[in-house]
Amino acid sequence: MERNMSEKLRGVIIGAGFASGFHLSGWSNTPEVEIAAICDLRKDRAEARASQFGIPKVYSSFREMFDNHKVDFVDIAVPPALHLEIIREAAARGYHILCQKPIAPTMAELREMIVLTENAGVRFMVNENGRHQPWFRKAKELINSGTIGEPYYTYLAYRRRMSLPVADFGDQNFFKTMPKLVIYELGVHYLDTLRYLYGEAKSVFALTHRANPELAGEEVATVLAKFGTVNAVMDMSWASLPASTVKEWVSYGPCVIEGTEGTLHLEQNGRFRIIRDTCEEQIEFPKNSEFLAYQNAIQHFADCLLTGKPFETDGKDTLKTMELVFGAYDAAENNRVYEVGKDISRLA
Amino acid sequence: MERNMSEKLRGVIIGAGFASGFHLSGWSNTPEVEIAAICDLRKDRAEARASQFGIPKVYSSFREMFDNHKVDFVDIAVPPALHLEIIREAAARGYHILCQKPIAPTMAELREMIVLTENAGVRFMVNENGRHQPWFRKAKELINSGTIGEPYYTYLAYRRRMSLPVADFGDQNFFKTMPKLVIYELGVHYLDTLRYLYGEAKSVFALTHRANPELAGEEVATVLAKFGTVNAVMDMSWASLPASTVKEWVSYGPCVIEGTEGTLHLEQNGRFRIIRDTCEEQIEFPKNSEFLAYQNAIQHFADCLLTGKPFETDGKDTLKTMELVFGAYDAAENNRVYEVGKDISRLA
């Protein structure tokens, strides 16, 4: 993309719910970008965000917003079932697209997004912030430099009491009606992060459970996946009273990465320890540095638009992450291992 | 069994290695029993145990010991590959049998043990002490009384640095040559304990890894099993530098049991917490109460011999545990879920 570097990239954002606060914090810390307008079906929420972040225009219809603003890109921060329709419209108008995860309820919808953005010649990045967490960037650097020898095991855990005794997901209560829930919404971060750390998975297996019968989907799941020689356990629950005595919270819960020469341990309070036979070190991340994940993903999007370099998580890359997400559901539903590539015809 | 209750049950023990210390502590605390003799191929080890526990006679051949002592029972505490030969001889002489876990390297050997003890009219108990841990007894009581509502998840973990940087299993260095290792030796406790807590499993899956290439078997494994509506994760490693800051140790590592109304948490230092929405309680177990597991299993064996009541873990019961052990290996080798009952023809 050729442009005058003194001009700012201009974008609009669709969705003023939970995620939009993190996005708009990110945009306001990205000097190359300005957000021209925001829209939400609930215009009061859009107005609140506009006033919070100094956005000049507010809409309740994204088409009306598109009609009134010729911009470089659109940031889509609405529930996944709405993505395709918006992406189709944005691509038709030649806007580059940054779209919230999980990208689509089916592989077929994601494939359609890839085709229509390619045909329209617009760039398309899935806003996968998990891999942009500062500690996962640091973990990859430490793994690649051999600090823990050959990695063979990774454990990612999340246990938080939200669906019991009464389901309350706050600003994300649309979760209650989603037929696929915790792997789709949370597990997708872990699966993408594991791909970032280790490359492509060979197979995935999962056991799921719905603890609150009023939910449409599962809020408890354990996913077991093979990434080369690394066995990864993703252990998730939105139902459980956590046993951890660590009361502070990071977005992604604790993480343990083990290798032949040591262990990396991210605690729930953000303490990052490098444990080896002979010594133990600790890396301090600034408080709330989890929110840098959004900031960093957004900065990556802007950088790639300005320089032409590829997105880490473009549509085609995300096909591999979503194959693991839907593969995990296929495994849980059929109580059968999903083999990457080989079993893809089983996915919708 | 009819006997004069004023007489003691008399037994002999085979094996003077690692496990025998726990067994002999157990026997010495069981007033209904006396141990008449001990034998070990390494007679010096047998002599050390004899002197430690006041056992009158020492042998290096179990047949010679059998020839010289007509007893009520034999306690077998040698590696699993040696069990069948000893059990055959003991049954032929009419001795009741308590035999260390894991009971046999194949389902076929266990089936043979069951047939030959039945034909000889002797009683046969597998010394499975995991389920006799005081905290698992307490956990079952709390689950059954509804303290945590409907249980849906259990996590059992063990991570200890023993096979790296140099493999050193101490008095159990025979582990190095065993083709099946951590699921067989450690996982068997978890699988039996889960059966004790929840009844029979529906299916089992596992990923395994050998971190030290000098070992014959795997020392890292994650096993995922379905017990009714409970999804159980058994996460084991003898290779890993543990991230836990709890430095004390219990035999079975930490355990988390989650239900709709609360969580039970056994920490590595033995602290047992009952966590509910409205309150948290703590149960204190005496220090080293993990060793009560051996004591309790042994007392159970003696009680059942004296009263005629059934063993919890007789040969037939243990077939169900070993099906899960070998099913987990079948799953790991073939990267395929093992379905209990349905897939049993795949096991040796």
Side-chain angles (χ1 to χ4, degrees), chain A residues 153 159 235 240 243 258 273, chain B residues 153 159 235 240 243 258 273:
Chain A
Y153 169 87
R159 309 200 90 72
D235 213 7
S240 308
E258 295 178 347
R273 294 156 62 212
Chain B
Y153 169 88
R159 309 201 90 72
D235 213 8
S240 308
E258 295 178 347
R273 293 156 61 214

Side-chain angles (χ1 to χ4, degrees), chain A residues 139-153 198 229-230 257-264 274-277, chain B residues 161 164 209 211 241:
Chain A
K140 180 159 182 170
E141 183 190 312
L142 291 168
I143 292 166
N144 289 355
S145 65
T147 304
I148 58 163
E150 289 294 320
Y152 55 78
Y153 169 87
Y198 304 123
T229 57
V230 176
I257 296 173
E258 295 178 347
T260 48
E261 294 176 29
T263 293
L264 304 180
I274 305 167
I275 304 156
R276 292 165 54 88
D277 284 304
Chain B
R161 187 83 159 166
L164 292 172
H209 181 75
L241 275 164

Side-chain angles (χ1 to χ4, degrees), chain A residues 151-153 155 159 161 164-165 202-209 211-212 220-226 229-233 235 237 239-245 247 256 258-265 267 271 273 275-277 280 332 334-339, chain B residues 151-153 155 159 161 164-165 202-209 211-212 220-226 229-233 235 237 239-245 247 256 258-265 267 271 273 275-277 280 332 334-339:
Chain A
Y152 55 78
Y153 169 87
Y155 180 72
R159 309 200 90 72
R161 187 81 159 166
L164 292 173
K202 291 176 179 172
S203 63
V204 60
F205 180 66
L207 293 182
T208 60
H209 180 75
N212 183 331
V220 184
T222 305
V223 180
L224 204 46
K226 249 188 205 176
T229 57
V230 176
N231 295 339
V233 185
D235 213 7
S237 172
S240 308
L241 275 164
S244 171
T245 50
K247 297 295 177 199
V256 180
E258 295 178 347
T260 48
E261 294 176 29
T263 293
L264 304 180
H265 187 214
E267 286 180 17
R271 191 164 68 123
R273 294 156 62 212
I275 304 156
R276 292 165 54 88
D277 284 304
E280 181 172 334
N334 300 302
N335 200 24
R336 169 177 174 186
V337 174
Y338 178 88
E339 293 188 57
Chain B
Y152 55 78
Y153 169 88
Y155 181 72
R159 309 201 90 72
R161 187 83 159 166
L164 292 172
K202 292 178 180 173
S203 64
V204 60
F205 180 66
L207 293 182
T208 61
H209 181 75
N212 183 332
V220 184
T222 304
V223 179
L224 203 47
K226 249 188 204 177
T229 57
V230 176
N231 296 338
V233 186
D235 213 8
S237 173
S240 308
L241 275 164
S244 172
T245 49
K247 297 296 177 200
V256 180
E258 295 178 347
T260 49
E261 295 176 29
T263 293
L264 305 179
H265 186 214
E267 285 180 17
R271 189 164 69 124
R273 293 156 61 214
I275 304 156
R276 292 165 53 88
D277 284 304
E280 181 172 334
N334 300 302
N335 200 25
R336 170 177 175 186
V337 174
Y338 178 89
E339 292 189 56

Side-chain angles (χ1 to χ4, degrees), chain A residues 24-322:
Chain A
L24 288 165
S25 293
W27 292 122
S28 64
N29 287 313
T30 308
E32 302 90 337
V33 169
E34 66 178 35
I35 299 297
I38 182 167
C39 109
D40 196 291
L41 286 171
R42 284 174 47 189
K43 203 172 177 186
D44 59 318
R45 296 207 304 187
E47 279 161 356
R49 289 290 189 218
S51 123
Q52 190 183 355
F53 291 98
I55 302 169
K57 298 290 282 182
V58 171
Y59 298 85
S60 59
S61 150
F62 77 88
R63 286 194 176 82
E64 191 188 344
M65 180 169 71
F66 283 177
D67 287 340
N68 289 342
H69 298 269
K70 171 77 186 112
V71 290
D72 297 301
F73 70 89
V74 55
D75 177 10
I76 303 171
V78 297
L82 308 175
H83 290 172
L84 178 59
E85 181 192 357
I86 298 171
I87 288 172
R88 186 180 290 119
E89 189 83 20
R93 292 169 191 251
Y95 302 163
H96 303 302
I97 294 161
L98 176 64
C99 185
Q100 190 52 263
K101 51 56 65 181
I103 187 62
T106 61
M107 294 291 278
E109 282 198 22
L110 174 52
R111 287 197 191 96
E112 192 174 342
M113 292 170 188
I114 293 166
V115 169
L116 62 86
T117 51
E118 279 184 354
N119 288 349
V122 300
R123 299 191 64 189
F124 172 35
M125 169 173 150
V126 177
N127 196 342
E128 181 46 81
N129 62 72
R131 63 163 64 207
H132 287 282
Q133 290 281 4
W135 39 76
F136 289 130
R137 296 276 144 170
K138 187 68 190 176
K140 180 159 182 170
E141 183 190 312
L142 291 168
I143 292 166
N144 289 355
S145 65
T147 304
I148 58 163
E150 289 294 320
Y152 55 78
Y153 169 87
T154 299
Y155 180 72
L156 293 152
Y158 194 101
R159 309 200 90 72
R160 199 167 188 179
R161 187 81 159 166
M162 294 193 285
S163 70
L164 292 173
V166 174
D168 183 3
F169 299 105
D171 206 14
Q172 293 178 298
N173 266 332
F174 59 88
F175 282 175
K176 291 182 192 171
T177 59
M178 285 169 60
K180 293 182 166 69
L181 188 51
V182 77
I183 300 173
Y184 186 61
E185 277 289 338
L186 173 64
V188 66
H189 286 304
Y190 291 154
L191 290 161
D192 180 66
T193 297
L194 289 164
R195 290 185 54 240
Y196 164 73
L197 292 175
Y198 304 123
E200 300 312 325
K202 291 176 179 172
S203 63
V204 60
F205 180 66
L207 293 182
T208 60
H209 180 75
R210 179 173 49 191
N212 183 331
E214 289 176 17
L215 300 183
E218 91 297 347
E219 85 274 52
V220 184
T222 305
V223 180
L224 204 46
K226 249 188 205 176
F227 288 81
T229 57
V230 176
N231 295 339
V233 185
M234 289 146 272
D235 213 7
M236 300 168 265
S237 172
W238 284 341
S240 308
L241 275 164
S244 171
T245 50
V246 176
K247 297 295 177 199
E248 288 175 89
W249 195 254
V250 295
S251 295
Y252 296 99
C255 169
V256 180
I257 296 173
E258 295 178 347
T260 48
E261 294 176 29
T263 293
L264 304 180
H265 187 214
L266 171 70
E267 286 180 17
Q268 204 159 287
N269 59 5
R271 191 164 68 123
F272 187 103
R273 294 156 62 212
I274 305 167
I275 304 156
R276 292 165 54 88
D277 284 304
T278 48
C279 60
E280 181 172 334
E281 280 177 80
Q282 197 164 309
I283 299 175
E284 295 292 343
F285 287 95
K287 200 163 167 67
N288 296 328
S289 61
E290 62 194 290
F291 300 114
L292 285 176
Y294 294 94
Q295 165 82 46
N296 293 346
I298 276 168
Q299 184 71 57
H300 174 69
F301 177 77
D303 288 348
C304 293
L305 281 194
L306 290 168
T307 63
K309 74 178 182 185
F311 299 130
E312 287 189 22
T313 52
D314 64 14
K316 279 185 177 159
D317 182 84
T318 303
L319 269 176
K320 297 176 191 162
T321 301
M322 296 311 286

Side-chain angles (χ1 to χ4, degrees), chain B residues 132-159:
Chain B
H132 287 283
Q133 291 281 4
W135 40 77
F136 289 130
R137 296 275 145 172
K138 186 68 189 177
K140 180 159 181 168
E141 184 191 312
L142 291 168
I143 292 165
N144 289 355
S145 66
T147 304
I148 58 163
E150 290 294 320
Y152 55 78
Y153 169 88
T154 300
Y155 181 72
L156 294 152
Y158 195 100
R159 309 201 90 72

Side-chain angles (χ1 to χ4, degrees), chain B residues 4-30:
Chain B
N4 183 331
M5 292 298 284
S6 66
E7 279 177 30
K8 288 198 175 197
L9 281 172
R10 293 179 70 250
V12 289
I13 180 168
I14 305 177
F18 177 75
S20 68
F22 303 113
H23 289 220
L24 288 165
S25 293
W27 293 122
S28 64
N29 287 313
T30 308

